[in-house]
């Protein structure tokens, strides 16, 4: 079955240097397997030698490509981030232009400066026909709901493009929970908690009320939010009715409820989560039109991702929507 994938990463030499500096600054352990590191470096920098044959092999018609973490989100200097985002987007556009029927782009945005990020998003959409932006979580510990970033959300809505919120490492001050258990860090658990919390901050900020056409994309079948949504909704409604736990500070000021925002403003991808149970839950909670196939190339292998979706208990129409037409419609491909 024909597919579109949209959590697919690339990198440049400069971005890999930024990553190395950032890993040291965040106090993260260095990877032990250097062979895998070398292989990832090769795959991240490549479009034609490895990526296209892999796409052909698994019937992936279009990869929507964005950077790999932390990208410019790992730069401290605002001026450097603005310049690097521009450079990275130009490189991505060059590569897409060589195979415009096979690749599309998600912009890299310098969230250090909300105004500059909005301008860069507009440039990338208008000049390069990029389909939105992929952002790696917080930027210097500041989240996307910060007031200074609303101009970026305003631009995304006006341009009618989605924002993909990709995981990143938490602010080190948030990692007390995992002290003594580093095996829980990263994709195992902490990234999902970080990214789900970030998405809920965006929801609670009122960004979806102010810009109601906003589409936020989450990977990994929703970073566990669909499974917890019933309880969130139930407690939310109790809070609206003024339950005993209710305080003036926690008074809800939003126009809609979590379930409504999830069904109107959030889309999910299957990247790196091949659980039939999680897929069923995501479809039942979000609706079939809000789930999209992705791989998370090259960090995840394509074969198990494809095997999962092609054998999932879905009707042909459901499978086609998840693999292809939901993304085609959202991204106007
Ligand atoms: Mn990823």
């Amino acid at each position: 079955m024909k597919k579109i994938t949209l959590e697919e990463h690339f990198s440049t030499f400069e971005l890999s240097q930024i990553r190395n500096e950032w890993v040291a600054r965040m106090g993260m352990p260095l990877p032990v397997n250097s062979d895998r590191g070398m292989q990832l470096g090769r795959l991240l920098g490549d479009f034609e030698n490895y990526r296209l044959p892999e796409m052909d092999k698994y019937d992936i018609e279009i990869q929507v490509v964005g950077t790999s973490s932390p990208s410019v989100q790992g730069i401290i200097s605002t001026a450097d981030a603005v310049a690097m985002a521009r450079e990275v987007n130009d490189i991505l556009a060059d590569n897409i232009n060589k195979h415009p029927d096979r690749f599309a782009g998600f912009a890299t945005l310098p969230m250090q400066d909300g105004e500059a990020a909005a301008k860069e998003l507009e440039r990338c959409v208008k000049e390069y026909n990029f389909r939105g932006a992929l952002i790696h979580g917080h930027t210097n510990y500041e989240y996307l709901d910060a007031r200074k970033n609303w101009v970026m959300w305003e631009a995304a809505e006006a341009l009618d493009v989605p924002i993909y919120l990709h995981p990143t490492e938490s602010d080190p001050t948030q990692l007390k929970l995992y002290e003594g258990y580093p095996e829980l860090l990263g994709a195992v658990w902490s990234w999902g908690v970080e990214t789900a919390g970030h998405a809920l901050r965006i929801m609670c900020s009122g960004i979806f009320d102010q810009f109601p056409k906003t589409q936020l994309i989450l990977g990994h079948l929703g970073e566990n939010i669909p499974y917890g949504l019933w309880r969130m909704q139930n407690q939310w409604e109790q809070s609206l009715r003024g339950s005993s736990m209710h305080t003036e500070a926690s008074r809800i000021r939003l126009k809609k409820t979590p379930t409504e925002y999830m069904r109107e403003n959030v889309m999910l991808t299957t990247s790196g989560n091949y659980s039939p149970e999680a897929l069923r839950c995501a479809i039942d909670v979000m609706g079939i039109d809000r789930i999209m196939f992705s791989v998370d190339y090259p960090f995840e292998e394509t074969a198990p991702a494809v095997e999962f979706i092609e054998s999932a208990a879905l009707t042909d129409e459901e499978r086609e929507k998840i693999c292809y037409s939901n993304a085609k419609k959202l991204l106007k491909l």
Side-chain angles (χ1 to χ4, degrees), residues 7-9 67-69 134 136 164 166-167 191 220 271 295-297 299-300:
E7 191 190 309
E8 317 308 323
H9 303 287
T67 52
S68 64
S69 170
L134 183 140
H136 299 278
Y164 201 124
H166 187 269
W191 286 351
H220 317 106
S271 62
V295 172
D296 201 355
Y297 180 91
F299 299 103
E300 299 283 351

Side-chain angles (χ1 to χ4, degrees), residues 7-27:
E7 191 190 309
E8 317 308 323
H9 303 287
F10 90 110
S11 191
T12 65
F13 178 69
E14 285 77 13
L15 287 180
S16 69
Q17 287 186 313
I18 288 164
R19 179 174 171 82
N20 291 341
E21 288 160 21
W22 175 81
V23 162
R25 199 163 70 238
M26 298 289 278

Side-chain angles (χ1 to χ4, degrees), residues 31-99:
V32 283
N33 186 342
S34 61
D35 287 350
R36 174 67 175 146
M38 295 281 282
Q39 185 202 29
L40 282 175
R42 255 195 324 273
L43 298 178
L44 281 165
D46 161 81
F47 280 78
E48 292 174 330
N49 295 329
Y50 305 102
R51 200 178 292 254
L52 273 177
E54 181 91 343
M55 290 163 63
D56 290 340
K57 186 173 172 187
Y58 295 101
D59 223 356
I60 296 168
E61 187 181 280
I62 301 168
Q63 252 199 9
V64 189
V65 182
T67 52
S68 64
S69 170
S71 187
V72 301
Q73 266 69 70
I75 299 177
I76 292 172
S77 151
T78 299
D80 289 354
V82 170
M84 182 59 72
R86 206 179 159 90
E87 191 181 313
V88 165
N89 288 324
D90 290 351
I91 290 170
L92 179 57
D94 277 349
N95 282 288
I96 292 170
N97 284 340
K98 290 177 195 154
H99 303 276

